[in-house]
Amino acid sequence: MPMIAFVIHRAQDYEAGVSIVTRVLGTLLGPSNVLVDRYSFLPGSSWLPQLRAQVASADIVVCVVGPAWASDRRPSLATDYVAEELAIARQLRKPVVPVLIGDSRTQLAGLIPPQLKWLLSVQFLMLNPAEADEAF
């Protein structure tokens, strides 16, 4: 059975590097095995139950941390769907692989909101979009 990856991201980061991450995962796992929230939802259906079901069905969760995290601070889990998706993944003990867009890990601690500081204890992958786009 093929591995299924669910990609978590801030919507504003799609062009900043999420598209590259999903393309690379699609090459490795097959495009149908890469779930990207609203792009994987059935049209006309309620999206929140689908979001939760997709996180639950994934073998691995990839969390893309990009520039939008600096300006996208939300005060509670009820309104922060990235935090909710990560909470579901953590509760279900799904492996979470954070991917930092950019070339500086020094900015990382400032980007992660307080309720997600546990991500700092997980090994990150670095993605420089300019270099990755040439490679893939």
Side-chain angles (χ1 to χ4, degrees):
M1 183 172 203
M3 180 179 281
I4 296 176
F6 182 78
V7 180
I8 295 173
H9 64 95
R10 302 271 185 222
Q12 301 88 337
D13 283 332
Y14 193 79
E15 294 302 320
V18 176
S19 58
I20 296 169
V21 171
T22 58
R23 188 170 66 237
V24 170
L25 287 171
T27 300
L28 296 171
L29 305 175
S32 63
N33 295 320
V34 180
L35 307 174
V36 184
D37 57 40
R38 65 181 173 267
Y39 304 108
S40 303
F41 297 158
L42 299 171
S45 61
S46 178
W47 60 271
L48 190 54
Q50 287 186 77
L51 181 135
R52 291 180 176 137
Q54 287 185 0
V55 172
S57 71
D59 297 301
I60 188 168
V61 174
V62 177
C63 178
V64 181
V65 178
W69 284 59
S71 61
D72 194 10
R73 297 299 178 106
R74 295 193 169 119
S76 71
L77 292 176
T79 59
D80 186 350
Y81 292 108
V82 167
E84 183 171 331
E85 293 165 14
L86 286 167
I88 293 167
R90 197 166 187 208
Q91 177 184 6
L92 296 173
R93 299 177 187 218
K94 302 289 181 175
V96 175
V97 178
V99 177
L100 177 63
I101 297 173
D103 57 3
S104 174
R105 191 179 167 119
T106 57
Q107 66 188 15
L108 186 59
L111 293 176
I112 304 295
Q115 73 269 28
L116 298 177
K117 288 294 184 189
W118 61 268
L119 281 172
L120 296 174
S121 67
V122 179
Q123 181 62 45
F124 270 75
L125 295 175
M126 304 289 285
L127 172 68
N128 182 326
E131 295 172 6
D133 218 14
E134 293 172 9
F136 298 98

